[in-house]
Amino acid sequence: MRFEWDDRRDDLYRDFRGLGERALGKDVAERDRTGEFGRDDWLLCAEHGLLGLLLPPEYGGSGRGPVAYASAMEGLGYGCPDNGLMMAMGAHVLAAEVPVWKFGDEDQKRRYLPGLASGRLIGANAMTEPDSGSDALALTTTAERDGDGYRLTGRKLYVTNAPVADLFVVYATVGRHLGFTGVTAFLVERGDVGVSVKEQGEKMGLRTARWGELVLDACRIPASRRLGAEKQGGFVFGRTMAWERSLLLAPWLGVLEREFDEALRHCRRRRQFGRHIGHFQSVANRIVDMRIRWELSRMLLYRAAAELERPRTTIFPEAGKLYVSETAVEMLTSLTQLYGALGYSTDGRVERHLRDAVGMTISSGTSDMQRVVIAGKLGVTWPDTSTDGGADGGADGGADGGADGGGSEDGR
């Protein structure tokens, strides 16, 4: 694994870890119960430059690369106990800012990116539909030409940030008969006529990252708000997924390291049968396995982050997302055994973290879908012309192997 490292990235880690420890998530236990978004914490992160970290300075950012972003988010994850806040920021930066930055024209960039970087605007990504999660070929939201604009009609579900979002990156098809090749991306503002947002039901975890349903009822938008070229939406979505899958789990490196450090202290402090519990081989083995899984997670994620600066990615966005999310569930489940009743109780952090971690195995594509996409990239799933292009077509994203694509049964 080769990527450049420097002291400035260590500074980012320390700065955002310190910010999280000092100022963020102080009331997260209560807000987790009520499902309340931490807007003050959001604005504080924006004030410290986190939301604009990737963007060029001319659009309100600081022009740092994906590896630097991963370092900042890792630090934040160590210091901040609000996983929902970090999920909301990931959806905003990686699935709303990045496609505008990478595929928007100059007017779109200058109109939206400064507001997104400052936290004044909140972004969301809308792909999942009632009958279209991982199967992008089943997309039913339509974009019909209407003079010098488009009329969008359809429903999007499980959209992270929807109840608080100002700007939506919406994927619609310009012709259902075109399948994945008809998908086109659009920028939809909350105040557009024909747009309505409905809060969706309670979630198992990540409750402080609110989600909702976006309804488009013949919503007319000008052609100037099409993102990229017509029929380029599949490519826009694929590249966006590469960024999201590579970096969405970066905060969890910090979360898991903090929980590992706490577990180590617990083993040295807790005594049973006349000695510290770390002397029992079953406990020591858990600690060793957790550390190895964390180290492997960190290497995979940073490798994926470094690849984002290349024209094409390999298996690392999906492999990193898959491994880190499943490692989080495994480590936190193991910690419930280590802590016993305290780990199962809502009085501690582990129970909430475990609920949140399960959600991360679904966001940006389920673990099963990550395996399907990786298999496609490895050439395992050779095209089968006898099928109608259902599950494989949606998962692989068509001709490019989805190569960066894949499905979105993700609750974004």
Side-chain angles (χ1 to χ4, degrees), residues 284-344:
N285 286 348
R286 286 186 187 278
I287 294 296
V288 170
D289 288 346
M290 283 191 283
R291 183 67 188 196
I292 292 172
R293 289 191 182 106
W294 179 81
E295 293 285 0
L296 290 173
S297 294
R298 196 166 189 269
M299 286 191 285
L300 272 173
L301 190 141
Y302 276 96
R303 172 68 180 268
E307 264 199 7
L308 290 172
E309 297 187 291
R310 300 177 183 175
R312 285 178 62 90
T313 59
T314 59
I315 66 168
F316 285 99
E318 290 77 26
K321 193 272 170 184
L322 171 66
Y323 190 81
V324 179
S325 63
E326 292 195 344
T327 291
V329 174
E330 290 172 4
M331 283 184 62
L332 291 161
T333 300
S334 189
L335 286 173
T336 64
Q337 297 297 315
L338 182 69
Y339 289 118
L342 177 61
Y344 192 64

Side-chain angles (χ1 to χ4, degrees), residues 8 33 123 364:
R8 292 193 305 156
R33 284 189 284 269
S364 200

